[in-house]
Amino acid sequence: VIAAIACWQLKGPSAVEAALHSYVDQILVVLPRMTAALLISGFIQVLVPHALVKRWLGKSAGIKGVFVATGVGALTPGGPMLAFPLVIVLRNAGASPASLITFLTSWATLGFHRVLMWELPLLGPNFAAVRYLASIPLPFVAGAIVLACVAAAERREERRR
């Protein structure tokens, strides 16, 4: 609402109308993709064995879950329309917050498909290699931070009892 008011004040009613047309255009692009992604996540939800997710990515997996989530995130192709519904599926199947955050960090920073499709052809092998190598620690750091925060919260809770 604030953006619409600012747009109206600074650019006039025609700018607000243009923004609304842009909104409709974006919805027409995103809605079919989001519908397909949510449908796929529904099928994946049924297909993914919950016991397997809990074993490899659940709370008891600890640091092992961080390593597994890093590998899975780096190998998961596609954009946010696939990755975020997959995170929902993994969460519902019993994956821990540390594994989920590690997965998303790995997907965002180490996605191998993006290196092949975008970085190598557009930025060259030297840049792609340095950027990729510099990013490798990030999912592990994110996962370790979450594990430490969860452990600290559990210790506080135990002391409170």
PDB file of all heavy atoms in Angstrom, residues 60-86:
ATOM      1  N   SER A  60      18.527 -36.554  14.768  1.00  0.00           N
ATOM      2  CA  SER A  60      19.549 -37.477  15.262  1.00  0.00           C
ATOM      3  C   SER A  60      20.721 -37.622  14.281  1.00  0.00           C
ATOM      4  O   SER A  60      21.770 -38.146  14.647  1.00  0.00           O
ATOM      5  CB  SER A  60      18.937 -38.846  15.547  1.00  0.00           C
ATOM      6  OG  SER A  60      18.459 -39.425  14.342  1.00  0.00           O
ATOM      7  N   ALA A  61      20.567 -37.148  13.054  1.00  0.00           N
ATOM      8  CA  ALA A  61      21.657 -37.245  12.075  1.00  0.00           C
ATOM      9  C   ALA A  61      22.802 -36.312  12.423  1.00  0.00           C
ATOM     10  O   ALA A  61      23.949 -36.574  12.056  1.00  0.00           O
ATOM     11  CB  ALA A  61      21.140 -36.954  10.670  1.00  0.00           C
ATOM     12  N   GLY A  62      22.508 -35.207  13.094  1.00  0.00           N
ATOM     13  CA  GLY A  62      23.550 -34.271  13.510  1.00  0.00           C
ATOM     14  C   GLY A  62      24.392 -33.772  12.351  1.00  0.00           C
ATOM     15  O   GLY A  62      23.888 -33.389  11.307  1.00  0.00           O
ATOM     16  N   ILE A  63      25.714 -33.839  12.528  1.00  0.00           N
ATOM     17  CA  ILE A  63      26.638 -33.327  11.513  1.00  0.00           C
ATOM     18  C   ILE A  63      26.573 -34.155  10.233  1.00  0.00           C
ATOM     19  O   ILE A  63      26.795 -33.638   9.144  1.00  0.00           O
ATOM     20  CB  ILE A  63      28.080 -33.226  12.072  1.00  0.00           C
ATOM     21  CG1 ILE A  63      28.952 -32.342  11.174  1.00  0.00           C
ATOM     22  CG2 ILE A  63      28.703 -34.591  12.251  1.00  0.00           C
ATOM     23  CD1 ILE A  63      28.600 -30.890  11.221  1.00  0.00           C
ATOM     24  N   LYS A  64      26.226 -35.442  10.354  1.00  0.00           N
ATOM     25  CA  LYS A  64      26.059 -36.282   9.165  1.00  0.00           C
ATOM     26  C   LYS A  64      24.958 -35.690   8.270  1.00  0.00           C
ATOM     27  O   LYS A  64      25.097 -35.645   7.048  1.00  0.00           O
ATOM     28  CB  LYS A  64      25.703 -37.719   9.567  1.00  0.00           C
ATOM     29  CG  LYS A  64      25.404 -38.632   8.395  1.00  0.00           C
ATOM     30  CD  LYS A  64      25.028 -40.029   8.856  1.00  0.00           C
ATOM     31  CE  LYS A  64      23.635 -40.015   9.453  1.00  0.00           C
ATOM     32  NZ  LYS A  64      23.099 -41.311   9.804  1.00  0.00           N
ATOM     33  N   GLY A  65      23.886 -35.198   8.888  1.00  0.00           N
ATOM     34  CA  GLY A  65      22.803 -34.573   8.135  1.00  0.00           C
ATOM     35  C   GLY A  65      23.259 -33.333   7.401  1.00  0.00           C
ATOM     36  O   GLY A  65      22.801 -33.048   6.291  1.00  0.00           O
ATOM     37  N   VAL A  66      24.180 -32.596   8.003  1.00  0.00           N
ATOM     38  CA  VAL A  66      24.734 -31.400   7.344  1.00  0.00           C
ATOM     39  C   VAL A  66      25.510 -31.802   6.094  1.00  0.00           C
ATOM     40  O   VAL A  66      25.361 -31.179   5.034  1.00  0.00           O
ATOM     41  CB  VAL A  66      25.615 -30.606   8.339  1.00  0.00           C
ATOM     42  CG1 VAL A  66      26.399 -29.513   7.631  1.00  0.00           C
ATOM     43  CG2 VAL A  66      24.756 -30.016   9.452  1.00  0.00           C
ATOM     44  N   PHE A  67      26.308 -32.853   6.189  1.00  0.00           N
ATOM     45  CA  PHE A  67      27.071 -33.310   5.021  1.00  0.00           C
ATOM     46  C   PHE A  67      26.137 -33.831   3.917  1.00  0.00           C
ATOM     47  O   PHE A  67      26.308 -33.504   2.737  1.00  0.00           O
ATOM     48  CB  PHE A  67      28.084 -34.389   5.425  1.00  0.00           C
ATOM     49  CG  PHE A  67      29.349 -33.826   5.975  1.00  0.00           C
ATOM     50  CD1 PHE A  67      29.461 -33.527   7.323  1.00  0.00           C
ATOM     51  CD2 PHE A  67      30.424 -33.576   5.151  1.00  0.00           C
ATOM     52  CE1 PHE A  67      30.635 -32.997   7.838  1.00  0.00           C
ATOM     53  CE2 PHE A  67      31.609 -33.036   5.648  1.00  0.00           C
ATOM     54  CZ  PHE A  67      31.705 -32.746   7.001  1.00  0.00           C
ATOM     55  N   VAL A  68      25.139 -34.614   4.306  1.00  0.00           N
ATOM     56  CA  VAL A  68      24.198 -35.159   3.317  1.00  0.00           C
ATOM     57  C   VAL A  68      23.409 -34.025   2.660  1.00  0.00           C
ATOM     58  O   VAL A  68      23.251 -33.977   1.438  1.00  0.00           O
ATOM     59  CB  VAL A  68      23.253 -36.197   3.966  1.00  0.00           C
ATOM     60  CG1 VAL A  68      22.139 -36.599   3.009  1.00  0.00           C
ATOM     61  CG2 VAL A  68      24.038 -37.415   4.421  1.00  0.00           C
ATOM     62  N   ALA A  69      22.912 -33.087   3.465  1.00  0.00           N
ATOM     63  CA  ALA A  69      22.138 -31.970   2.933  1.00  0.00           C
ATOM     64  C   ALA A  69      22.976 -31.109   2.001  1.00  0.00           C
ATOM     65  O   ALA A  69      22.466 -30.584   1.001  1.00  0.00           O
ATOM     66  CB  ALA A  69      21.578 -31.130   4.074  1.00  0.00           C
ATOM     67  N   THR A  70      24.267 -30.965   2.292  1.00  0.00           N
ATOM     68  CA  THR A  70      25.153 -30.203   1.410  1.00  0.00           C
ATOM     69  C   THR A  70      25.238 -30.870   0.042  1.00  0.00           C
ATOM     70  O   THR A  70      25.103 -30.212  -0.995  1.00  0.00           O
ATOM     71  CB  THR A  70      26.561 -30.068   2.032  1.00  0.00           C
ATOM     72  OG1 THR A  70      26.449 -29.341   3.252  1.00  0.00           O
ATOM     73  CG2 THR A  70      27.502 -29.340   1.088  1.00  0.00           C
ATOM     74  N   GLY A  71      25.444 -32.185   0.044  1.00  0.00           N
ATOM     75  CA  GLY A  71      25.522 -32.908  -1.229  1.00  0.00           C
ATOM     76  C   GLY A  71      24.224 -32.875  -2.007  1.00  0.00           C
ATOM     77  O   GLY A  71      24.217 -32.618  -3.213  1.00  0.00           O
ATOM     78  N   VAL A  72      23.117 -33.093  -1.314  1.00  0.00           N
ATOM     79  CA  VAL A  72      21.807 -33.093  -1.978  1.00  0.00           C
ATOM     80  C   VAL A  72      21.494 -31.700  -2.521  1.00  0.00           C
ATOM     81  O   VAL A  72      21.023 -31.551  -3.653  1.00  0.00           O
ATOM     82  CB  VAL A  72      20.705 -33.587  -1.015  1.00  0.00           C
ATOM     83  CG1 VAL A  72      19.325 -33.415  -1.628  1.00  0.00           C
ATOM     84  CG2 VAL A  72      20.937 -35.042  -0.653  1.00  0.00           C
ATOM     85  N   GLY A  73      21.780 -30.669  -1.737  1.00  0.00           N
ATOM     86  CA  GLY A  73      21.521 -29.300  -2.187  1.00  0.00           C
ATOM     87  C   GLY A  73      22.340 -28.934  -3.414  1.00  0.00           C
ATOM     88  O   GLY A  73      21.844 -28.316  -4.345  1.00  0.00           O
ATOM     89  N   ALA A  74      23.610 -29.331  -3.421  1.00  0.00           N
ATOM     90  CA  ALA A  74      24.478 -29.005  -4.559  1.00  0.00           C
ATOM     91  C   ALA A  74      24.029 -29.717  -5.828  1.00  0.00           C
ATOM     92  O   ALA A  74      24.219 -29.202  -6.933  1.00  0.00           O
ATOM     93  CB  ALA A  74      25.928 -29.388  -4.235  1.00  0.00           C
ATOM     94  N   LEU A  75      23.413 -30.877  -5.677  1.00  0.00           N
ATOM     95  CA  LEU A  75      22.995 -31.655  -6.849  1.00  0.00           C
ATOM     96  C   LEU A  75      21.544 -31.429  -7.256  1.00  0.00           C
ATOM     97  O   LEU A  75      21.110 -31.966  -8.273  1.00  0.00           O
ATOM     98  CB  LEU A  75      23.234 -33.142  -6.583  1.00  0.00           C
ATOM     99  CG  LEU A  75      24.695 -33.546  -6.397  1.00  0.00           C
ATOM    100  CD1 LEU A  75      24.798 -35.010  -6.006  1.00  0.00           C
ATOM    101  CD2 LEU A  75      25.503 -33.246  -7.653  1.00  0.00           C
ATOM    102  N   THR A  76      20.799 -30.651  -6.485  1.00  0.00           N
ATOM    103  CA  THR A  76      19.393 -30.398  -6.815  1.00  0.00           C
ATOM    104  C   THR A  76      19.303 -29.350  -7.914  1.00  0.00           C
ATOM    105  O   THR A  76      19.698 -28.203  -7.716  1.00  0.00           O
ATOM    106  CB  THR A  76      18.613 -29.918  -5.572  1.00  0.00           C
ATOM    107  OG1 THR A  76      18.675 -30.936  -4.577  1.00  0.00           O
ATOM    108  CG2 THR A  76      17.158 -29.632  -5.910  1.00  0.00           C
ATOM    109  N   PRO A  77      18.793 -29.733  -9.079  1.00  0.00           N
ATOM    110  CA  PRO A  77      18.674 -28.763 -10.172  1.00  0.00           C
ATOM    111  C   PRO A  77      17.426 -27.903  -9.997  1.00  0.00           C
ATOM    112  O   PRO A  77      16.550 -28.214  -9.197  1.00  0.00           O
ATOM    113  CB  PRO A  77      18.545 -29.653 -11.411  1.00  0.00           C
ATOM    114  CG  PRO A  77      17.865 -30.878 -10.890  1.00  0.00           C
ATOM    115  CD  PRO A  77      18.358 -31.066  -9.481  1.00  0.00           C
ATOM    116  N   GLY A  78      17.373 -26.855 -10.762  1.00  0.00           N
ATOM    117  CA  GLY A  78      16.163 -26.050 -10.808  1.00  0.00           C
ATOM    118  C   GLY A  78      16.219 -24.836  -9.906  1.00  0.00           C
ATOM    119  O   GLY A  78      17.141 -24.641  -9.124  1.00  0.00           O
ATOM    120  N   GLY A  79      15.168 -24.046 -10.023  1.00  0.00           N
ATOM    121  CA  GLY A  79      15.074 -22.805  -9.278  1.00  0.00           C
ATOM    122  C   GLY A  79      14.249 -22.950  -8.017  1.00  0.00           C
ATOM    123  O   GLY A  79      13.969 -24.059  -7.555  1.00  0.00           O
ATOM    124  N   PRO A  80      13.842 -21.832  -7.473  1.00  0.00           N
ATOM    125  CA  PRO A  80      13.095 -21.837  -6.214  1.00  0.00           C
ATOM    126  C   PRO A  80      11.740 -22.533  -6.305  1.00  0.00           C
ATOM    127  O   PRO A  80      11.243 -23.030  -5.297  1.00  0.00           O
ATOM    128  CB  PRO A  80      12.931 -20.355  -5.876  1.00  0.00           C
ATOM    129  CG  PRO A  80      13.274 -19.608  -7.111  1.00  0.00           C
ATOM    130  CD  PRO A  80      14.132 -20.490  -7.954  1.00  0.00           C
ATOM    131  N   MET A  81      11.173 -22.611  -7.501  1.00  0.00           N
ATOM    132  CA  MET A  81       9.882 -23.292  -7.648  1.00  0.00           C
ATOM    133  C   MET A  81      10.012 -24.789  -7.382  1.00  0.00           C
ATOM    134  O   MET A  81       9.018 -25.457  -7.114  1.00  0.00           O
ATOM    135  CB  MET A  81       9.306 -23.073  -9.047  1.00  0.00           C
ATOM    136  CG  MET A  81       9.000 -21.657  -9.363  1.00  0.00           C
ATOM    137  SD  MET A  81       7.672 -21.025  -8.335  1.00  0.00           S
ATOM    138  CE  MET A  81       7.488 -19.419  -9.038  1.00  0.00           C
ATOM    139  N   LEU A  82      11.215 -25.322  -7.472  1.00  0.00           N
ATOM    140  CA  LEU A  82      11.457 -26.729  -7.133  1.00  0.00           C
ATOM    141  C   LEU A  82      12.065 -26.861  -5.751  1.00  0.00           C
ATOM    142  O   LEU A  82      11.647 -27.704  -4.957  1.00  0.00           O
ATOM    143  CB  LEU A  82      12.381 -27.375  -8.171  1.00  0.00           C
ATOM    144  CG  LEU A  82      12.807 -28.814  -7.858  1.00  0.00           C
ATOM    145  CD1 LEU A  82      11.600 -29.748  -7.853  1.00  0.00           C
ATOM    146  CD2 LEU A  82      13.848 -29.286  -8.824  1.00  0.00           C
ATOM    147  N   ALA A  83      13.040 -26.028  -5.433  1.00  0.00           N
ATOM    148  CA  ALA A  83      13.790 -26.176  -4.176  1.00  0.00           C
ATOM    149  C   ALA A  83      12.917 -25.947  -2.951  1.00  0.00           C
ATOM    150  O   ALA A  83      12.987 -26.723  -1.988  1.00  0.00           O
ATOM    151  CB  ALA A  83      14.980 -25.223  -4.160  1.00  0.00           C
ATOM    152  N   PHE A  84      12.102 -24.914  -2.935  1.00  0.00           N
ATOM    153  CA  PHE A  84      11.333 -24.620  -1.735  1.00  0.00           C
ATOM    154  C   PHE A  84      10.222 -25.630  -1.481  1.00  0.00           C
ATOM    155  O   PHE A  84      10.037 -26.051  -0.332  1.00  0.00           O
ATOM    156  CB  PHE A  84      10.832 -23.178  -1.755  1.00  0.00           C
ATOM    157  CG  PHE A  84      11.942 -22.207  -1.457  1.00  0.00           C
ATOM    158  CD1 PHE A  84      12.683 -21.638  -2.469  1.00  0.00           C
ATOM    159  CD2 PHE A  84      12.276 -21.896  -0.148  1.00  0.00           C
ATOM    160  CE1 PHE A  84      13.730 -20.770  -2.202  1.00  0.00           C
ATOM    161  CE2 PHE A  84      13.316 -21.028   0.137  1.00  0.00           C
ATOM    162  CZ  PHE A  84      14.049 -20.462  -0.894  1.00  0.00           C
ATOM    163  N   PRO A  85       9.477 -26.069  -2.486  1.00  0.00           N
ATOM    164  CA  PRO A  85       8.552 -27.172  -2.211  1.00  0.00           C
ATOM    165  C   PRO A  85       9.269 -28.438  -1.731  1.00  0.00           C
ATOM    166  O   PRO A  85       8.746 -29.167  -0.887  1.00  0.00           O
ATOM    167  CB  PRO A  85       7.853 -27.406  -3.556  1.00  0.00           C
ATOM    168  CG  PRO A  85       7.890 -26.069  -4.214  1.00  0.00           C
ATOM    169  CD  PRO A  85       9.230 -25.494  -3.817  1.00  0.00           C
ATOM    170  N   LEU A  86      10.477 -28.681  -2.238  1.00  0.00           N
ATOM    171  CA  LEU A  86      11.244 -29.835  -1.768  1.00  0.00           C
ATOM    172  C   LEU A  86      11.617 -29.679  -0.297  1.00  0.00           C
ATOM    173  O   LEU A  86      11.578 -30.641   0.477  1.00  0.00           O
ATOM    174  CB  LEU A  86      12.491 -30.028  -2.627  1.00  0.00           C
ATOM    175  CG  LEU A  86      13.357 -31.236  -2.302  1.00  0.00           C
ATOM    176  CD1 LEU A  86      12.549 -32.530  -2.340  1.00  0.00           C
ATOM    177  CD2 LEU A  86      14.533 -31.316  -3.257  1.00  0.00           C
TER     178      LEU A  86
END
